[in-house]
Amino acid sequence: MSSLRPHSETLPVAAMSLSVSAIRTLNLMTLGYRIDGDAGAIVFPKLATGERRDGLWQTTCFEVFIQPAGVIGYHEFNFSPSTDWASYSFDAHRAGMRDAPGVPMIERTADGMNVTVDLSAYPDLADVDWHVGLTTVIEEKDGTKSYWALKHPEGAPDFHDATCFALELPAVG
């Protein structure tokens, strides 16, 4: 379990902490996002139909970024507590964005959510080490937004910055 930290310029008002477990198997990544503290202060989108939707990061949203070692391109996955999701591939930092394949399995829990992502449609992720960014956007009911990651770059929050890809997961197989 890895602890996320809020960006120093976007601290939450409510007392809370966030943690994420990340497990890599051959073609799957399993994530468990947990929120401890004043969950009643957080905006949780209502359960939906579990469809692809853009703009999920504009409210409470759990995310993972996966970059194959030695490559500047990466993949972004967004998971809403509503069970809606989004996936994108990038050629470089915020460049060449396009929709990416796959439908994650999302289970909302009382203290967060569990997600399984099938990565078999991503040949660039097979048999290589990964640099992973575990991130979360939290919106509180008073409108406060905080941006959480394992590690943040200097300046404004930017989950796409390689500094955020702080978890190393070795190749499996």
Side-chain angles (χ1 to χ4, degrees):
M1 196 65 94
S2 300
S3 294
L4 302 184
R5 297 178 311 125
H7 190 278
S8 61
E9 296 178 12
T10 65
L11 297 175
V13 173
M16 67 181 80
S17 63
L18 276 78
S19 57
V20 185
S21 63
I23 300 170
R24 176 184 180 177
T25 56
L26 193 55
N27 290 321
L28 299 176
M29 178 166 229
T30 305
L31 302 156
Y33 295 87
R34 299 291 171 259
I35 301 170
D36 290 313
D38 189 3
I42 299 172
V43 173
F44 287 103
K46 293 181 182 178
L47 285 173
T49 55
E51 297 179 26
R52 177 188 288 271
R53 296 205 191 283
D54 292 326
L56 297 174
W57 56 270
Q58 295 175 1
T59 187
T60 301
C61 181
F62 303 94
E63 303 176 349
V64 65
F65 294 77
I66 305 173
Q67 181 182 47
V71 176
I72 59 171
Y74 59 95
H75 307 284
E76 173 186 1
F77 302 88
N78 302 160
F79 316 111
S80 171
S82 71
T83 70
D84 288 338
W85 56 274
S87 57
Y88 309 99
S89 292
F90 293 83
D91 295 328
H93 181 256
R94 296 187 181 274
M97 182 176 132
R98 61 199 172 278
D99 286 349
V103 178
M105 295 185 333
I106 299 173
E107 173 195 13
R108 186 167 160 170
T109 64
D111 62 348
M113 62 191 321
N114 296 321
V115 180
T116 301
V117 182
D118 182 349
L119 298 168
S120 58
Y122 297 83
D124 63 325
L125 296 178
D127 303 321
V128 296
D129 296 346
W130 297 348
H131 304 289
V132 178
L134 301 171
T135 63
T136 301
V137 176
I138 296 291
E139 181 179 10
E140 295 178 59
K141 291 178 180 172
D142 69 357
T144 299
K145 288 187 184 173
S146 53
Y147 298 87
W148 300 69
L150 291 171
K151 188 173 180 182
H152 293 279
E154 295 294 320
D158 182 2
F159 293 157
H160 292 256
D161 188 290
T163 302
C164 291
F165 304 171
L167 177 65
E168 303 291 328
L169 291 178
V172 176

